[in-house]
Structures are given as structure tokens and as C-alpha cells.
Amino acid sequence: MERWLSNAALVPHQKNRNDVCAALGVDEQVIWPNTVRANLKTGHDREVFAAYPYRSTCPTSVWNQLIGDSVDEIFLAGYTNYFVWLEQPALHQTLRRKAESGCRVRFLLGNPESETTRQRERIEGVALTVSTRIRITLEHLEKLSGIEGVEARFSAPDDGPNHVSLSVFRFDRDALVTPHLARMVGHDSPMMHLRRSQDGGLFDRFAEHAEELWERGVPTR
């Protein structure tokens, strides 16, 4: 410890730094401030909490925690939102409890009858079509109809291309964002987990995008 502390050029491995800090009862930043600063994000990417090359590689536990911890806002603005019903057990009951406790729950969907949906179906070319996935979500939402605080809209016809190419799932100050790649379905596209830490950062930009689509959206029924 004396050798490391007497020579600023000597920086031990992380485990050894942890042991030194524990032995001395001080924070690492006090002893090795430059190393700490080098490992901290300070730019525009500091709101990127995690990134996944495929949406399907994001652990189900992440979705569980984000939904479960939400107090004010759950906004699912994927084009179909189909997969959340498969991966989240008892989602109806969870969303019902959230809405009844004052959390605003919103779903923004693509219109199953729109030209954007038909074009996307031709691009994907899969058996479980986009319109079918949307209608499955609508069936699930029927079970939540009449609950105050639960809202659903279709994106406006002109907004279809912008909606189908980018999914934003917001949970209070966290968001999961998926830019859809070319011919790939959602679970094969990459995803970022954003955590809001500043005004006008990545979180705000994607949240504003989803809000703009919502404002121009039309009721599903």
C-alpha cells in the first residue's frame, strides 16, 4: 500500500484498489482521482446505462424491474407491443395495479389496416404478421378497457414510417429504445437502455419523439 500511495504513476488493479480503500476507509476518488474520472462517462453518452446487440438479449428481469418500479409513467410505444404480453407474466394485473395507484399507462400502436403495416409485412415476410401482432395487443388491451389511467392510440397515418422504424418504451426516468434494422423483426434489432440524467440528452430526445407521435395519434376505439 505504501509503495502504491507514494508513487502516483503506480495504479494497481481494481481489486487491489478496492482492498486499499476498504483498509483505509476512504473513497477511491480520494486516492486515484484520475483513474476514477477516466472510467466515468461525462459526455452525451452518460445516459446510456446499457446496450444490447439484440433486443432479445435484454434479460426479462430488466423489463420486470422497470415496469415494477414505475410510479408515474409507463409508455409502450412499440409498433406492435406484442412481445411484452409474452414475456411479462400477469401483465394485465400489474398494469391494472399501476393505473389504480396513479401511474399513467399508455400504448401507442401502429394501425393494423394502414399502408405502413402492409409494407412492413411484405418486408418482414414472417408467418406472424405485423397486423396480427397488433391485433393480439388490442385483444389484451380489451381486458384493461374502462380502467382510468390506461390509454391506447394508433399513430397517425403520416407518422407510420417514423413509428415502425423506432420503438420507445418509457418507464419514468428509464427508457428502452430499439431502432429497427432493415428487414429484421424487433427482437433481432439492437436496443439501448437509457437513464435520464440531464436536460436535452438522449433520453429527452427519444421521449419527445414518442410524445410527438402520441399527440398526433388517434384512439384505437
Side-chain angles (χ1 to χ4, degrees), residues 39-53 62 173-179 190-198 200-206:
N39 290 327
L40 288 176
K41 293 181 178 180
T42 58
H44 295 297
D45 65 339
R46 67 179 179 270
E47 291 190 316
V48 181
F49 182 74
Y52 305 92
V62 172
R173 297 175 67 84
D174 287 81
L176 299 174
V177 177
T178 296
M191 187 172 75
M192 294 183 294
H193 180 176
L194 306 179
R195 180 161 292 167
R196 192 180 191 279
S197 64
Q198 61 181 321
L202 286 174
F203 179 96
D204 283 356
R205 296 297 308 279
F206 286 113

Side-chain angles (χ1 to χ4, degrees), residues 18-111:
N18 293 343
D19 291 342
V20 170
C21 293
L24 297 178
V26 298
D27 189 87
E28 183 179 353
Q29 189 167 357
V30 174
I31 306 175
W32 293 287
N34 292 334
T35 301
V36 173
R37 280 196 294 270
N39 290 327
L40 288 176
K41 293 181 178 180
T42 58
H44 295 297
D45 65 339
R46 67 179 179 270
E47 291 190 316
V48 181
F49 182 74
Y52 305 92
Y54 301 88
R55 191 189 70 198
S56 56
T57 59
C58 175
T60 302
S61 59
V62 172
W63 293 88
N64 290 341
Q65 183 173 359
L66 292 178
I67 294 172
D69 290 348
S70 296
V71 175
D72 301 313
E73 178 87 26
I74 295 175
F75 186 11
L76 303 178
Y79 197 77
T80 73
N81 294 302
Y82 162 74
F83 71 97
V84 295
W85 306 102
L86 298 180
E87 298 182 4
Q88 303 305 308
L91 184 59
H92 301 97
Q93 294 90 325
T94 300
L95 296 181
R96 180 186 297 272
R97 288 195 302 269
K98 289 293 178 181
E100 291 173 347
S101 66
C103 183
R104 188 184 187 189
V105 178
R106 290 183 289 169
F107 283 79
L108 182 67
L109 303 165
N111 191 321

Side-chain angles (χ1 to χ4, degrees), residues 113-151:
E113 302 293 340
S114 70
E115 181 57 30
T116 297
T117 296
R118 287 190 286 271
Q119 289 179 354
R120 188 64 194 179
E121 289 179 343
R122 290 193 291 269
I123 290 172
E124 291 185 359
V126 296
L128 189 61
T129 63
V130 177
S131 58
T132 299
R133 302 199 302 265
I134 294 172
R135 290 190 174 96
I136 290 173
T137 291
L138 292 173
E139 288 181 1
H140 284 293
L141 288 175
E142 277 295 318
K143 299 176 183 178
L144 295 170
S145 62
I147 299 177
E148 185 176 354
V150 178
E151 308 167 70

Side-chain angles (χ1 to χ4, degrees), residues 2-13 17 31-35:
E2 182 180 354
R3 180 169 62 87
W4 288 329
L5 297 178
S6 63
N7 187 345
L10 293 177
V11 180
H13 293 298
R17 297 202 302 272
I31 306 175
W32 293 287
N34 292 334
T35 301

Side-chain angles (χ1 to χ4, degrees), residues 144-172:
L144 295 170
S145 62
I147 299 177
E148 185 176 354
V150 178
E151 308 167 70
R153 293 182 184 178
F154 292 134
S155 51
D158 290 345
D159 287 330
N162 293 326
H163 187 191
V164 77
S165 62
L166 178 66
S167 294
V168 179
F169 308 96
R170 179 181 173 184
F171 312 92
D172 289 347

